[in-house]
Amino acid sequence: RHALHVPVMNLPRKEMATRLQSIAWLPLCGHINPLEDLMFIDDKAVTELLSVDTNDWVLTLVDHNDLDARQTGWRSHVRRVIDHHHPTTPSPYTHGQIDEGDMCVCPPPMGSCCSIISELYTKSGLEIPTEIAHTLIGPILTDTVNFHPDLKDQRWCDRDHAACKKLQALLDWSDEQLTDKFNLLSNVKFDVQANLNMGLENMLVSDFKLFAYTNSQGEQVHIGFSSLAVGLPIVLQHFKAYSAQMNALCSSHNLAFLVLLSMSQKDGGPVRHVGVWGGDSHPKKNAFVAHLEGRGELSLSVVCKGDVCVYKQGNVKASRKQLEPIVGEFFRQ
């Protein structure tokens, strides 16, 4: 029986314009126009296929190991997972649903899902085409912060480094060229004006994740995470009427809280902020904020408390991958 493999971006087509790094990188990897040449989760052909509840289609999840809380109805169709995040606990998949060899989940310190894909090419005996090598190496460089030595075994590991070196050899790039590519992507990501020009609504959804947590009483709460490449204090100062956009995002996804994560650059180094928005009438708001403040591994210091509680995060190495389990721990109680 023949199968057709269709790569689909798991985001609405209109949101691709907010992926500044992808828009800058993909055209360099083989003349790909990311706004025209890719398929998206809300394209008519895709939605029609996913609406048919038969065994004629299955899903491979790439760079995430569970579907969004809005897509849980598709879980029974998942047959393969390729990811580098902590696996969802308990597993959302029924026993035997995914063959052992198709659960390719390598949690941190594995830094990039593209490193895993490179390894899978090697294991399969297939040669990596130049365009694919070019596509994969960019995310590896950004995910690992160009293999910053202070982030070894936190944001990257030896397997990431080996995968990057293999791709570098295939592309015949020097170390200087690698650094140039990383700097290009980094400059795009942290371009303050380019990010602010998108508008707050687009900034909030450009790297948005929705998590659903169920506590011991069976009550479920939705928490959203928006990652920003501009410092949170700058964002709030620039968009003084931010309440409308944040309320709209919370309403559209039935969020109890929106967690705002920002990483920006200052004097050549990273600066992280964490913010909590919403939930003014939620009975757990004060306890949730206290829970975050009490986690010493984050090293939070108060910037301001109001409708948005903003903290500077002293531990700049802790990304969403480290923060999300801390949030989940609180709401699963």
Side-chain angles (χ1 to χ4, degrees):
R1 188 177 182 181
H2 297 289
L4 175 65
H5 297 269
V6 182
V8 177
M9 301 290 289
N10 194 6
L11 72 156
R13 178 175 288 273
K14 70 176 183 179
E15 290 184 12
M16 189 63 196
T18 70
R19 304 314 204 254
L20 299 180
Q21 288 180 306
S22 296
I23 290 174
W25 186 249
L26 289 176
L28 305 177
C29 304
H31 308 292
I32 300 171
N33 184 331
L35 300 177
E36 296 182 3
D37 298 336
L38 303 178
M39 295 193 71
F40 296 85
I41 200 67
D42 62 343
D43 286 351
K44 182 179 179 181
V46 177
T47 57
E48 288 180 350
L49 175 62
L50 297 181
S51 67
V52 179
D53 191 18
T54 69
N55 293 324
D56 292 334
W57 60 273
V58 297
L59 294 174
T60 295
L61 304 185
V62 181
D63 207 15
H64 52 306
N65 56 61
D66 192 10
L67 290 160
D68 188 280
R70 297 160 290 183
Q71 302 171 333
T72 53
W74 301 337
R75 278 178 174 164
S76 62
H77 293 273
V78 175
R79 293 294 182 273
R80 196 179 196 196
V81 179
I82 305 171
D83 188 42
H84 68 117
H85 300 92
H86 288 288
T88 302
T89 305
S91 173
Y93 310 112
T94 59
H95 179 70
Q97 178 177 339
I98 301 176
D99 293 338
E100 183 177 351
D102 288 331
M103 182 61 82
C104 308
V105 177
C106 307
M110 195 75 175
S112 180
C113 187
C114 289
S115 300
I116 303 173
I117 294 173
S118 176
E119 291 181 343
L120 291 174
Y121 264 101
T122 300
K123 290 178 181 177
S124 70
L126 296 173
E127 188 69 28
I128 304 178
T130 300
E131 294 84 354
I132 299 298
H134 197 155
T135 304
L136 295 175
I137 202 168
I140 293 175
L141 292 173
T142 57
D143 288 340
T144 63
V145 197
N146 198 21
F147 299 97
H148 195 293
D150 290 346
L151 299 178
K152 173 75 186 294
D153 295 327
Q154 294 188 58
R155 292 285 299 273
W156 62 276
C157 65
D158 290 335
R159 288 171 61 186
D160 292 294
H161 195 256
C164 185
K165 285 299 181 184
K166 178 171 183 177
L167 296 172
Q168 181 183 359
L170 286 171
L171 294 167
D172 194 25
W173 287 356
S174 66
D175 290 343
E176 290 76 15
Q177 285 176 293
L178 272 189
T179 300
D180 288 343
K181 303 297 184 184
F182 169 74
N183 288 337
L184 181 152
L185 289 167
S186 184
N187 290 338
V188 168
K189 178 177 181 178
F190 296 111
D191 186 326
V192 174
Q193 199 56 55
N195 277 275
L196 295 177
N197 285 345
M198 289 195 297
L200 182 57
E201 180 181 359
N202 286 327
M203 290 181 69
L204 292 174
V205 301
S206 66
D207 189 358
F208 174 79
K209 297 290 186 294
L210 173 63
F211 293 86
Y213 304 111
T214 304
N215 65 18
S216 56
Q217 288 77 46
E219 301 166 333
Q220 189 176 83
V221 61
H222 287 182
I223 307 296
F225 291 76
S226 288
S227 296
L228 310 170
V230 178
L232 185 53
I234 294 176
V235 172
L236 298 179
Q237 184 178 21
H238 183 81
F239 299 104
K240 299 186 185 301
Y242 53 77
S243 299
Q245 286 91 345
M246 292 190 185
N247 276 328
L249 183 61
C250 289
S251 297
S252 64
H253 299 299
N254 191 27
L255 302 181
F257 296 98
L258 175 63
V259 180
L260 302 155
L261 309 173
S262 73
M263 186 175 77
S264 53
Q265 296 287 322
K266 183 177 181 180
D267 300 327
V271 178
R272 286 191 183 272
H273 287 89
V274 177
V276 177
W277 162 265
D280 287 335
S281 61
H282 198 285
K284 290 188 174 182
K285 179 181 180 180
N286 292 336
F288 175 40
V289 172
H291 173 73
L292 295 178
E293 292 177 354
R295 296 303 292 250
E297 66 267 40
L298 298 177
S299 187
L300 299 181
S301 57
V302 177
V303 175
C304 64
K305 282 191 173 182
D307 51 359
V308 182
C309 296
V310 180
Y311 303 88
K312 185 175 182 180
Q313 183 179 306
N315 179 8
V316 297
K317 299 178 182 179
S319 64
R320 181 176 57 206
K321 285 189 287 187
Q322 286 74 42
L323 183 64
E324 185 276 321
I326 294 173
V327 174
E329 175 187 300
F330 175 80
F331 286 105
R332 290 193 180 101
Q333 295 176 353

